[in-house]
Amino acid sequence: FVDAEQGTLDALVEFLGVVASGRCAAVSDPDWPPAVREAVRAGVSAEPADLPGPTPTTPFYIGFTSGSTGLPKGFRRHHRSWTESFRACLDAFGPDAATPLLAPGRMAHSLFLFGMLLGLWTGAGVVLQERFSAGRALDTLRQGRTPSLVAVPSQLLMMLEWAARRAQPPIDGVRLVLISGARWMRQRTAELQALFPRARLIEFYGASETSFIAWMPADADAPPSTVGRPFAQVDIEIRPVGDPAGAGLIFVRSPMLFMDYVGQADDATQAWREGDWLSVGDMGHWDDAGRLCLVGRHQRMVVTQGKNLFPEEVESVLAAHPAVAAASVQGLFDPVRGQQVVAVLALAPDAPARPSAQALSAWCRARLEAYKVPRRYLVCTSWPWTASGKTDHAALARALAPNGNTASARCLQSLS
């Protein structure tokens, strides 16, 4: 185990030492409670001391993502899967991807570990941040040390707000901004381009188990579901599952796929393998321009009034409301509708006023079909996040369950 509590630089050096020895490094998260840390450690087998040297197909990394059981779920990668990912990055994004890179996040998040290792693999180098700071990140970029940046949307929004409050001028030295980890709020694309006027703004879609799948330039006019065209090394099949709207399971074939899971054998969110093909349960379709559109996770699909609803679509609409910082759409049992659509919200701290349920419903009705509009709205005053910085939808589902007695349940308030 590589303990991320020791600090990012020390943890990265330890990680590289483990990998160079031919062993596999499992990266812990400093935010795990002690009980979770012990349970995760117990699920990872110790390796023998007399391992042979590393080969392209020997495992080098175990990362962790959120699982349906409440414990982090381990996924294992071999060397070739990531070196192929590095090559895919350079092939798609060109020489700017081989420049010094700012990776302002913890290595427990596989996106930032990937950025760190990409900078080392190209030889250009990487600049780390122990804990994310919008001000320090912008200072680093303004100094011209790092022409490229990898970030999650929430970090970019904090940079935009920091720069706007201080009336900072544009940063001309940034050439490439890679955005992943969650959906980018495309209505903010013009602001981001104004802050980095010479940069290519790239959104990419992938998963811990697949690495890269598809990418596209950030486009304010693109529908929220569009994630772009496949990377050159990636084949995609959409396999029907009987959805009336035409969405199917996304299966991927590429040299960048993961090896297997570690522990959590009973986790309900396991990927599905069929020969060389892999699906992580994402549902999607092709648009008329040949771009992949992601409608949501099969496991999160809600059936209401006899129709399939993917929460991600409604969450994107709610997150675009100026008073909403984050949203989680859940399906609760309803004897008439099958499932009732409920929205749990984190309100924006700088919102001018608290929105009413009626106003939010009107906002949704103007953008969605009627059956997709939530019937209830709840505000969560202590928003749960996964280790990778995404909304912990499973924790909120547990909070909404009958007799739910979690910390999240105690922080729920009805919005009238």
Side-chain angles (χ1 to χ4, degrees):
F1 253 83
V2 174
D3 192 347
E5 284 188 322
Q6 63 188 300
T8 302
L9 180 58
D10 289 340
L12 181 58
V13 171
E14 182 182 352
F15 178 93
L16 295 171
V18 171
V19 172
S21 73
R23 294 174 292 165
C24 184
V27 182
S28 69
D29 190 302
D31 288 339
W32 286 344
V36 171
R37 186 181 304 274
E38 289 304 313
V40 171
R41 281 182 175 271
V44 178
S45 301
E47 293 177 323
D50 55 345
L51 285 172
T55 71
T57 56
T58 54
F60 82 100
Y61 165 50
I62 297 173
F64 296 90
T65 186
S66 56
S68 64
T69 64
L71 282 176
K73 178 176 59 176
F75 59 91
R76 199 164 60 140
R77 307 297 301 252
H78 57 57
H79 292 261
R80 182 178 291 159
S81 69
W82 268 30
T83 57
E84 291 290 344
S85 301
F86 298 149
R87 292 189 180 95
C89 191
L90 269 60
D91 289 346
F93 310 135
D96 289 331
T99 59
L101 179 142
L102 174 62
R106 294 172 172 174
M107 60 183 289
H109 189 321
S110 61
L111 175 67
F112 295 111
L113 179 60
F114 179 84
M116 295 171 197
L117 297 187
L118 173 65
L120 297 176
W121 184 79
T122 64
V126 62
V127 174
L128 312 177
Q129 262 196 10
E130 196 62 48
R131 282 188 176 273
F132 177 71
S133 161
R136 288 201 306 272
L138 289 170
D139 286 345
T140 298
L141 295 168
R142 197 175 297 281
Q143 292 164 15
R145 299 167 59 194
T146 52
S148 57
L149 164 70
V150 59
V152 295
S154 60
Q155 293 175 328
L156 296 173
L157 293 181
M158 285 187 272
M159 290 185 200
L160 287 176
E161 290 161 7
W162 178 279
R165 284 198 302 268
R166 291 158 179 79
Q168 291 192 345
I171 301 175
D172 292 328
V174 177
R175 301 301 182 90
L176 181 66
V177 178
L178 299 175
I179 309 169
S180 192
R183 293 189 189 225
W184 167 240
M185 299 73 164
R186 289 177 179 159
Q187 67 271 22
R188 308 294 296 271
T189 301
E191 295 172 67
L192 189 62
Q193 193 70 73
L195 181 60
F196 304 121
R198 301 180 66 186
R200 295 173 67 199
L201 309 180
I202 301 294
E203 301 177 47
F204 67 84
Y205 156 61
S208 300
E209 297 92 339
T210 63
S211 289
F212 293 128
I213 295 177
W215 69 279
M216 62 181 288
D219 179 359
D221 297 325
S225 63
T226 304
V227 294
R229 292 183 171 83
F231 283 80
Q233 299 93 326
V234 175
D235 296 321
I236 295 176
E237 285 187 357
I238 308 294
R239 302 188 182 179
V241 292
D243 179 61
L249 275 172
I250 300 171
F251 274 81
V252 176
R253 181 174 63 185
S254 87
M256 299 177 279
L257 304 183
F258 84 136
M259 296 177 69
D260 52 22
Y261 289 115
V262 176
Q264 292 293 292
D266 58 346
D267 195 290
T269 59
Q270 302 279 15
W272 304 326
R273 265 204 157 106
E274 294 185 11
D276 294 336
W277 294 88
L278 175 74
S279 176
V280 294
D282 284 345
M283 299 278 289
H285 61 86
W286 300 106
D287 68 10
D288 292 339
R291 298 176 301 184
L292 181 66
C293 297
L294 180 67
V295 298
R297 276 280 166 108
H298 185 267
Q299 293 93 339
R300 293 194 65 211
M301 187 175 72
V302 173
V303 180
T304 182
Q305 302 178 46
K307 299 177 181 178
N308 295 341
L309 180 150
F310 291 95
E312 291 86 349
E313 179 185 6
V314 186
E315 289 160 1
S316 293
V317 169
L318 287 167
H321 191 285
V324 176
S328 177
V329 171
Q330 305 281 343
L332 299 186
F333 173 74
D334 185 298
V336 176
R337 298 179 182 87
Q339 286 180 292
Q340 182 184 106
V341 182
V342 176
V344 185
L345 308 174
L347 298 182
D350 55 352
R354 185 183 177 95
S356 67
Q358 183 179 9
L360 289 170
S361 289
W363 173 272
C364 291
R365 279 195 299 271
R367 296 161 175 83
L368 295 167
E369 297 166 81
Y371 78 93
K372 298 178 181 178
V373 177
R375 297 281 172 168
R376 291 172 56 202
Y377 298 88
L378 301 168
V379 173
C380 183
T381 56
S382 182
W383 199 254
W385 301 99
T386 67
S388 58
K390 300 179 184 180
T391 293
D392 192 339
H393 297 287
L396 290 169
R398 291 192 292 272
L400 289 170
N403 303 318
N405 191 30
T406 65
S408 297
R410 294 188 289 273
C411 295
L412 294 179
Q413 304 170 356
S414 292
L415 192 63
S416 57

